[in-house]
């Protein structure tokens, strides 16, 4: 931190050399800020198109992809006119995130397995934008019952406070064959966090000399590592 502050004072806005090297090796185009900027632009373009054709199904498909690309693709702004998107006078869409359940309904009306998965992703994201995590997790569990290969649902379930259940969810989710880099990285982060917390809790509560608990706690920490 001190090094960053020192160099930043003399070179404002300049990334430290060793951090720059890491970013170049990883690929600047894959960095979260790059993905977010592109996703925000794609979101604005998709909404603008929907305001012209009022096609909520196509918009929903695009949003499903954006949600699985980066965390902050959908900003919670306010529409300049509440009826411009759907073309209906009774539209309740006033904020950008109000789009999500409306598009989810359009996807469910089609009824294909992929559309049902997409609708659940939209609704889970909506619940999270409204700080309704328990409802998002409940829907995530229902989505998994229907499709055990839906990686995003495992990611949402892993956000619960129970470290053991969260770790179980991400271990299953990371085995999904269809998963985006963003969702995979998020689940890896959750896996490390849950495993570390579980290991620390076991070691903290272990009775002195109780080798089995110590071995279990250490195993969780090694898993996190």
């Amino acid at each position: 931190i001190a090094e960053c502050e020192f160099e930043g004072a003399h070179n404002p806005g300049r990334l430290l050399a060793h951090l720059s090297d890491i970013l170049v090796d990883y690929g600047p185009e894959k960095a979260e800020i790059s993905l977010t900027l592109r996703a925000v632009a794609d979101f604005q373009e998709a909404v603008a198109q929907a305001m012209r054709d009022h096609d909520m199904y196509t918009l929903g498909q695009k949003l499903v992809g954006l949600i699985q690309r980066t965390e902050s693709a959908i900003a919670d702004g306010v529409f300049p006119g509440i009826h411009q998107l759907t073309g209906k006078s009774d539209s309740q869409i006033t904020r950008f995130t109000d789009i999500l359940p409306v598009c989810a309904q359009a996807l469910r009306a089609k009824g294909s397995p992929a559309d049902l998965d997409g609708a659940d992703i939209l609704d889970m994201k909506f619940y999270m934008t409204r700080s309704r995590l328990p409802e998002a997790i409940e829907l995530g569990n229902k989505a998994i019952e229907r499709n055990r290969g839906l990686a995003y649902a495992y990611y949402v379930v892993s956000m619960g406070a129970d470290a053991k259940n969260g770790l179980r969810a991400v271990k299953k989710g990371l085995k999904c064959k269809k998963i985006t880099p963003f969702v995979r990285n998020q689940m890896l982060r959750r896996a490390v966090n849950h495993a570390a917390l579980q290991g620390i809790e076991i070691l903290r509560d272990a009775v002195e000399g109780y080798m089995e608990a110590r071995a279990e706690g250490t195993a969780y920490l090694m898993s996190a590592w």
Side-chain angles (χ1 to χ4, degrees), residues 125-169:
K125 182 66 174 179
F126 176 75
Y127 288 142
M128 288 189 289
T129 64
R130 292 295 195 272
S131 299
R132 294 160 59 181
L133 185 57
E135 291 172 84
I137 292 174
E138 181 180 1
L139 179 55
N141 283 315
K142 291 180 180 178
I144 291 170
E145 289 179 5
R146 189 189 67 255
N147 179 8
R148 297 190 180 278
L150 186 57
Y152 191 82
Y154 289 105
Y155 165 50
V156 172
V157 171
S158 77
M159 293 183 183
D162 190 310
K164 185 175 291 187
N165 288 336
L167 184 59
R168 185 182 302 113

Side-chain angles (χ1 to χ4, degrees), residues 144 148 154 167-176 187:
I144 291 170
R148 297 190 180 278
Y154 289 105
L167 184 59
R168 185 182 302 113
V170 289
K171 282 188 173 183
K172 292 180 179 179
L174 287 168
K175 295 178 181 179
C176 291
M187 284 202 287

Side-chain angles (χ1 to χ4, degrees), residues 39-59:
V40 168
D42 290 345
F43 169 72
Q44 293 173 344
E45 182 180 342
V47 170
Q49 180 62 42
M51 293 177 75
R52 292 190 291 269
D53 58 27
H54 312 306
D55 186 349
M56 303 305 290
Y57 174 77
T58 299
L59 177 60

Side-chain angles (χ1 to χ4, degrees), residues 57 61 104 106-108 110-120:
Y57 174 77
Q61 288 183 311
L107 290 179
R108 285 198 175 89
K110 293 287 185 177
S112 73
D115 288 328
L116 293 177
D117 288 343
D120 283 343

Side-chain angles (χ1 to χ4, degrees), residues 67-86:
I67 289 169
Q68 296 178 90
R69 192 194 303 178
T70 182
E71 189 70 52
S72 306
I74 303 174
D76 199 9
V78 179
F79 278 106
I82 64 173
H83 310 314
Q84 293 183 26
L85 193 67
T86 63

